[in-house]
Amino acid sequence: MPNRQIRRAARAATVLAFTAGAVTLAGTAAFAHVEVESETAQALATNATVAFTAEAESTTAGLAKFQVVLPEGIAPADVTLADAPAGWAFAATPDGYTVGGAALAPGKDAAYKITVRQLPDAKELVFKTLETYSDGHIERWIELPKAGAEPEHPAPVLKLSPAAPGATPVAPATASPTVAAPSPSPSPSASATASGPAATPSAAASTAAATATSSSGDSSSPVVPVVIAVAAAAVLAAAGTWWWRRRDRGTGS
């Protein structure tokens, strides 16, 4: 009888140990997500540093990039990178930002910080995050609690305390100036028009034609009347000489 009780107690202990192990594993999986925190987690706080930590879940691939959708009230232009793993770069996107670079070692957690120009006047901020591993696998930490139930892939949420007395929103960040593209080189006709004195192709052709006509002997040239006058004088002179000779022969002189 005692031996039977001992065996039952041993089996019960084994079941309890297995159950505890399962709960522990489930708890570890539940906490393996992206966390966000800030020492200045207060509405309308300026130049607030916000820190993110992501636990690595893969033993074969390393964390390589995070893509974050910013909560309402924070513009991508209001965010700058404060700290990140060596070699990682920050880039703004239409609705947030990305930060990443060379993959970390498998199993190594990732941590980075951003500086926000001013936190909005809100009770909490949701930073939906896509986590990319070096093998291309993506974890989507974008879900929000529903009916009090904790989601499987919860989005990082930063709770904010009320704004300090007298705190006011700052002016929106000034967008970077747009660099104008170089204007194309003007066409020859445009250059001629802009310079003023340059003639149009049709006018130049007309001028050239006029010059060619003048140089080839235009009928309006003053040389032509002179030649005609000389020729007429010569004809008149010859006719006069012929008439006088006929007259002399007729008179017998």
Side-chain angles (χ1 to χ4, degrees):
M1 186 70 177
N3 291 335
R4 184 179 301 176
Q5 291 177 345
I6 291 173
R7 287 196 296 271
R8 288 179 179 176
R11 284 198 297 270
T14 301
V15 171
L16 289 175
F18 177 81
T19 303
V23 171
T24 301
L25 290 174
T28 301
F31 285 100
H33 53 254
V34 180
E35 298 284 350
V36 59
E37 60 181 3
S38 175
E39 294 181 357
T40 52
Q42 185 177 28
L44 298 182
T46 57
N47 297 320
T49 299
V50 181
F52 295 85
T53 304
E55 294 184 15
E57 296 180 297
S58 175
T59 58
T60 58
L63 291 166
K65 186 178 76 169
F66 294 89
Q67 181 176 345
V68 178
V69 176
L70 289 169
E72 185 177 357
I74 302 179
D78 292 331
V79 178
T80 55
L81 184 64
D83 187 30
W88 280 28
F90 175 93
T93 62
D95 58 359
Y97 64 85
T98 62
V99 59
L104 303 179
K108 181 179 177 60
D109 296 345
Y112 72 92
K113 298 178 182 180
I114 61 172
T115 299
V116 181
R117 188 164 176 263
Q118 185 180 41
L119 298 179
D121 190 3
K123 294 182 179 180
E124 64 180 27
L125 301 176
V126 179
F127 296 85
K128 294 184 178 181
T129 301
L130 271 62
E131 189 181 64
T132 303
Y133 285 82
S134 57
D135 60 359
H137 177 70
I138 298 177
E139 288 286 348
R140 303 175 184 274
W141 303 103
I142 60 175
E143 300 175 357
L144 298 177
K146 293 182 179 179
E150 183 71 13
E152 184 178 355
H153 291 84
V157 178
L158 179 64
K159 302 289 185 178
L160 300 183
S161 61
T168 57
V170 298
T174 303
S176 301
T178 302
V179 179
S183 58
S185 302
S187 61
S189 58
S191 300
T193 303
S195 60
T200 61
S202 59
S206 300
T207 303
T211 304
T213 303
S214 175
S215 61
S216 61
D218 192 348
S219 59
S220 62
S221 173
V223 177
V224 175
V226 173
V227 174
I228 294 175
V230 172
V235 172
L236 291 175
T241 303
W242 177 79
W243 183 79
W244 279 107
R245 287 181 178 178
R246 283 183 57 83
R247 182 177 176 278
D248 290 341
R249 289 176 183 175
T251 56
S253 56

